[in-house]
Amino acid sequence: MKVAVISDIHSNLNGLKWAISDAQSRNVDQIIFLGDYITDGYQDNEVLDLVMKYGGIQISGNRERIFETFDFNHVPINLEPIAWTYANLTQANRKYIKALPKVEEVKLGNYRVLVVHGDGFEHYPSIEKAFDNLIRVYDFDICLFGHSHDAQNYYYGNKYFINPGSVGIPITQDGYQYKIVTVYPELSIATYNKQTYHHLSTVVEDYKQSEYYRDNPLWASLILRNIITSEDFGPKFWRCFDEIATTYNHLSLSDQWQLTFALYNTRHNKSKHRCIPKMPDNSL
């Protein structure tokens, strides 16, 4: 039995279509989706339609669950792209993501498989500590998890922990990644990838012409850069935000947000620039 494991699509229809087509060409028996289907792009509804059509198992990610506690009456500038996503979801897809389970426990061949998204792992001092917690709570042989966009396999505590990577926002030069797990006649794990920095001109142009890009130009430009370059912008970007927020704590969140993007762009293009500007303006 062969199953494709796909995670962290983030509204990237191009990446999802490639992964589904590639998996089907390899004669998989079913596809397991690990969450984070939406946000960061303009094709959320199309992505969800394909997940529902092809997913044998589907769970929610933190991007689907964020709306459980989202305050639509007070949307800060850093969450405006998230609010945009919800506003543009169909009623049927809003209902669908709300009903998604957080965890699934299934049997594949002779293996007990735990399916989780993986958000919350970062709150543990190490990934092994996160695994220890899952081992205490659940009874399984294999754990499938995503969230980090990092395609890795671990063997820990006599159990397999498998992360398929991301087909939405890649963080390595391997580009889009997913995995096929074969559980019979023996366990095997294979990673498949598609480099994203070649032949993306049409994808880039369509993204730039979208309403999402028009309405959220700062965040959208960062996501698009990540898709093109496979650069893991997250740690660098949030480090800039922390530095700006600490240095200019008297400014509004909106001003801090603007400064963070300017600082990130400067650091990205000119690494020798000082991190903190002398004045809180847009001339970084």
Side-chain angles (χ1 to χ4, degrees), residues 24 79-80 91 112 137 153 195 200 216-217 221 263 265 277:
Q24 290 178 325
L79 293 182
E80 286 178 357
Q91 289 294 335
R112 297 161 298 172
V137 176
N153 301 325
Q195 293 178 333
L200 276 180
N216 307 281
S221 64
L263 174 58
N265 287 329

Side-chain angles (χ1 to χ4, degrees), residues 144-157:
L144 305 176
F145 72 99
H147 186 62
S148 68
H149 298 208
D150 188 15
Q152 297 288 341
N153 301 325
Y154 305 85
Y155 186 70
Y156 177 80

Side-chain angles (χ1 to χ4, degrees), residues 138-149:
Y138 299 100
D139 186 18
F140 62 93
D141 305 303
I142 299 172
C143 174
L144 305 176
F145 72 99
H147 186 62
S148 68
H149 298 208

Side-chain angles (χ1 to χ4, degrees), residues 59-89:
I59 63 167
S60 66
N62 55 291
R63 292 306 182 97
E64 286 75 50
R65 295 193 299 270
I66 193 172
F67 300 114
E68 295 174 2
T69 57
F70 200 89
D71 185 356
F72 290 95
N73 294 317
H74 301 90
V75 181
I77 188 172
N78 58 312
L79 293 182
E80 286 178 357
I82 300 291
W84 188 99
T85 292
Y86 191 81
N88 286 274
L89 288 176

